Amino acid sequence: MSVRPWWQSAVLYHIYPWSFQDSDGDGIGDLRGIEARLDYLVDLGIDAIWLSPIFPSPMADFGYDVADYCGIDPRFGTLADFDSLLASAHARGLKLLLDFVPNHSSDQHPWFVESRSSRDNPKRDWYIWRDPAADGGPPNNWISDFGGLAWTYDAASGQYYSHAFLKEQPDLNWRNPEVRAAMLDVLRFWLARGVDGFRIDVLWHIVKHADFPDNPLNPDWDPATGEMHRVFQLHSTDQPEVHDIAADMRAIADAFGREGDQRVLIGEIYLPVERLMRYYGLAGEGVHLPFNFQLIDAPWHARELARMITDYEAALPEGGWPNWVLGNHDRPRSATKRGAAQARVAAMLLLTLRGTPTLYYGDELGMENGVIPPDRVRDPRELREPGLGLGRDPVRTPMPWDDSAQAGFTQGEPWLPLGDGWQTRNVAAERDDPHSMLTLHRTLLNLRRSTPALATGKIRLIEAEGDVLAYEREQDGDRIIVALNLGARPAPVDLPMARPILSTLPGPLIETAPSILRPDEGLILKVDAKP
Ligand code: NOJ
Ligand code: MG
């Protein structure tokens, strides 16, 4: 019998290294800081950690501009610190995933320094260089995801290079076999060191159309959404050749894994569901988990969510394992989007759906978007298109550990201000509060781990009306029902004979299934086996 891979029943915890725990007083989180907090994560009940990039970087995009794929940025520590963190994580039964950034390097990476040095440099073709258009302008109309042209002119060599993000993040040319080989070696380097897998940055971006045609204009473009939406990214993303590359990555990960100890690949892909599914590979040879971000933007209506869950489950390819995400370092915090009460319901949803959930650091405390005064803005996304609310600093504020100075995050001045309310919304204050968001997460994670029906069981939507979203999870005859009231009014429910075992609301649990969910209530019930 084959063993179920660990990552299917696992809960992933996403750490933004800049903001988790500082150990040396420079105001920036670091690897020793993370290591010192591992017991917190064990106690919380997660299984695996994904670290946003920790590699040497000029930090034009806070680490997503890598200048050396096989090192550690001194802000975060050393390779020895990394080995120590990895060993400590493994000693506690935690897996550790790194962030692989294949679409682009930093413009300070030695490869790009060489590439831009002259047209006949052997590394010229490692990046995407094109002649100017006939009028001297850019080769086409592609737009950077951070606004402005996706092309920068290099006067010295008379060509443009492409960058899907900042000009400090030149796009690597994955059509060049040398690039492919060098980047795949990066995966081998870290896998050999013992990492348990990777989250792969903007996987759907890494191959561009070979002929660089203009992207179609978006006739409904709303400038308030950012300039990137002025065109549809038809030719600059999601090209068929990407799947071959994903399969190469997968083969490497598989070669390093053993049964029961697989290395996992999670692709960052923002695409509609049908196209997303292709990243599993036609025969399961793609990434293990193409990130499913639908919950982040989902309209908070029970009927819409029910349809979304049904459609996603139905679209999964044979053998494809689902996954769900509620927040990350690029998107507004769940508690800010939905309010404190519904954020609790959302947490119950995330941790009881079928599939691997990813929890963003601080969401377990109910952290909200921070307020960043103009003179403390750091994110290039905000600096380039200010005032549209696209900046990501608010969701990257330091983790509040207690009510001491700087919330126990640092002895120095934190790189971003602490989020409002940290004096009471912090780990120490929430740990012993039976009604806190942290306690809710701990309880949910514990329940999930001890209940196979929740961790890996089948899912079946239960017919419901209005604001109620309900589903059953089942494994080996054990049945769990989840009933969520997405509204602020009492909502009638019709549930089979079942016994409540956890509510998002305070107070003692009643013995039998209620006929009404209270406002903002999420409830988990156990269907007792027939005598
Ligand atoms: C996606 C990452 O999540 C984001 O933070 C980053 O800015 C871009 N990719 C570019 O690497
Ligand atoms: Mg530090």
Side-chain angles (χ1 to χ4, degrees):
M1 231 187 85
S2 70
V3 184
R4 180 183 282 281
W6 64 267
W7 48 268
Q8 295 192 352
S9 57
V11 177
L12 192 62
Y13 186 89
H14 173 191
I15 289 182
Y16 195 66
W18 276 78
S19 291
F20 199 60
Q21 176 67 59
D22 180 24
S23 74
D24 59 3
D26 67 353
I28 299 169
D30 45 48
L31 299 184
R32 288 186 181 200
I34 296 170
E35 186 172 351
R37 294 297 188 181
L38 288 179
D39 287 332
Y40 165 75
L41 298 176
V42 171
D43 182 56
L44 177 61
I46 56 96
D47 304 276
I49 303 164
W50 146 39
L51 302 179
S52 277
I54 52 174
F55 317 108
S57 168
M59 301 291 175
D61 189 20
F62 292 88
Y64 286 96
D65 47 325
V66 179
D68 171 5
Y69 284 99
C70 298
I72 301 292
D73 191 276
R75 294 173 187 81
F76 299 130
T78 62
L79 264 177
D81 292 334
F82 175 76
D83 290 339
S84 170
L85 169 63
L86 183 60
S88 295
H90 284 167
R92 287 165 175 78
L94 297 173
K95 306 281 190 187
L96 187 66
L97 272 56
L98 292 182
D99 206 313
F100 181 49
V101 189
N103 179 69
H104 44 267
S105 72
S106 160
D107 64 344
Q108 304 301 305
H109 195 295
W111 297 341
F112 189 71
V113 173
E114 278 197 50
S115 182
R116 88 182 308 170
S117 68
S118 80
R119 282 200 191 203
D120 48 20
N121 184 279
K123 293 243 166 25
R124 183 65 167 185
D125 185 51
W126 279 42
Y127 292 83
I128 299 174
W129 291 96
R130 307 288 292 171
D131 287 333
D135 66 357
N140 65 25
N141 71 350
W142 295 0
I143 293 170
S144 152
D145 279 21
F146 291 161
L149 285 180
W151 298 96
T152 287
Y153 185 62
D154 178 58
S157 60
Q159 285 189 311
Y160 284 84
Y161 66 88
S162 92
H163 48 88
F165 297 89
L166 300 175
K167 69 175 182 356
E168 291 84 0
Q169 295 167 293
D171 291 335
L172 281 156
N173 177 14
W174 274 84
R175 292 182 184 274
N176 180 322
E178 290 176 18
V179 168
R180 198 154 156 163
M183 289 299 281
L184 294 177
D185 275 347
V186 171
L187 295 179
R188 294 189 184 93
F189 174 85
W190 292 108
L191 290 167
R193 254 190 141 81
V195 306
D196 300 289
F198 300 90
R199 174 265 191 187
I200 305 172
D201 191 63
V202 296
L203 179 59
W204 87 113
H205 267 274
I206 71 176
V207 186
K208 285 86 178 139
H209 193 295
D211 302 329
F212 298 89
D214 273 350
N215 273 329
L217 297 179
N218 172 3
D220 302 319
W221 177 51
D222 170 3
T225 59
E227 203 195 348
M228 66 173 283
H229 298 292
R230 193 146 65 77
V231 297
F232 295 116
Q233 298 186 329
L234 182 68
H235 302 302
S236 49
T237 66
D238 196 30
Q239 299 300 297
E241 296 88 337
V242 68
H243 298 291
D244 235 38
I245 296 172
D248 278 3
M249 295 176 181
R250 171 65 178 266
I252 290 170
D254 283 351
F256 274 86
R258 286 187 305 277
E259 178 143 326
D261 187 22
Q262 284 191 351
R263 313 295 174 98
V264 65
L265 298 181
I266 308 176
E268 186 206 19
I269 299 144
Y270 284 91
L271 283 176
V273 169
E274 327 77 69
R275 282 158 74 195
L276 180 69
M277 292 303 165
R278 293 220 41 212
Y279 287 76
Y280 281 102
L282 289 178
E285 76 287 16
V287 296
H288 301 86
L289 299 172
F291 258 145
N292 168 20
F293 295 121
Q294 293 182 91
L295 282 181
I296 296 181
D297 290 322
W300 210 239
H301 298 305
R303 303 281 62 75
E304 301 260 4
L305 287 178
R307 190 175 323 124
M308 190 186 87
I309 295 164
T310 308
D311 291 352
Y312 175 71
E313 285 278 346
L316 282 168
E318 170 98 32
W321 185 253
N323 77 91
W324 298 94
V325 184
L326 209 51
N328 62 33
H329 62 303
D330 296 328
R331 310 306 302 279
R333 290 258 182 201
S334 175
T336 300
K337 277 200 84 157
R338 317 197 164 91
Q342 282 297 319
R344 296 172 70 89
V345 175
M348 186 173 273
L349 174 67
L350 174 73
L351 297 175
T352 58
L353 281 172
R354 189 177 87 102
T356 306
T358 301
L359 184 59
Y360 185 48
Y361 90 94
D363 278 356
E364 77 274 27
L365 305 175
M367 265 176 93
E368 294 182 16
N369 288 358
V371 178
I372 312 294
D375 63 332
R376 296 210 51 188
V377 171
R378 302 288 302 267
D379 181 20
R381 184 85 184 88
E382 177 66 25
L383 293 168
R384 289 173 56 89
E385 293 188 279
L388 298 180
L390 301 171
R392 302 164 297 177
D393 292 327
V395 303
R396 298 173 175 180
T397 59
M399 178 81 169
W401 294 98
D402 54 41
D403 64 0
S404 68
Q406 310 301 359
F409 165 69
T410 181
Q411 302 287 326
E413 180 63 24
W415 74 284
L416 276 181
L418 295 164
D420 284 351
W422 62 271
Q423 293 88 345
T424 50
R425 192 187 299 119
N426 62 55
V427 172
E430 293 194 28
R431 187 179 290 137
D432 302 318
D433 171 358
H435 186 52
S436 70
M437 188 70 152
L438 179 55
T439 301
L440 176 66
H441 275 81
R442 243 155 78 243
T443 310
L444 279 165
L445 287 164
N446 196 5
L447 187 64
R448 185 182 169 96
R449 184 173 284 180
S450 57
T451 311
L454 281 177
T456 51
K458 294 194 203 69
I459 189 167
R460 181 179 66 82
L461 269 286
I462 296 175
E463 220 163 294
E465 285 175 6
D467 286 332
V468 177
L469 173 64
Y471 44 93
E472 183 189 274
R473 303 290 313 279
E474 184 272 332
Q475 183 152 314
D476 302 327
D478 287 335
R479 292 160 63 197
I480 296 284
I481 289 174
V482 181
L484 308 172
N485 181 358
L486 272 57
R489 283 172 311 202
V493 279
D494 182 13
L495 302 168
M497 294 302 289
R499 180 169 49 86
I501 52 174
L502 179 63
S503 170
T504 56
L505 298 181
L509 288 169
I510 51 169
E511 289 288 309
T512 51
S515 55
I516 289 185
L517 288 176
R518 291 173 282 171
D520 301 310
E521 179 168 41
L523 203 57
I524 301 181
L525 308 99
K526 189 167 167 35
V527 181
D528 287 314
K530 293 204 186 73

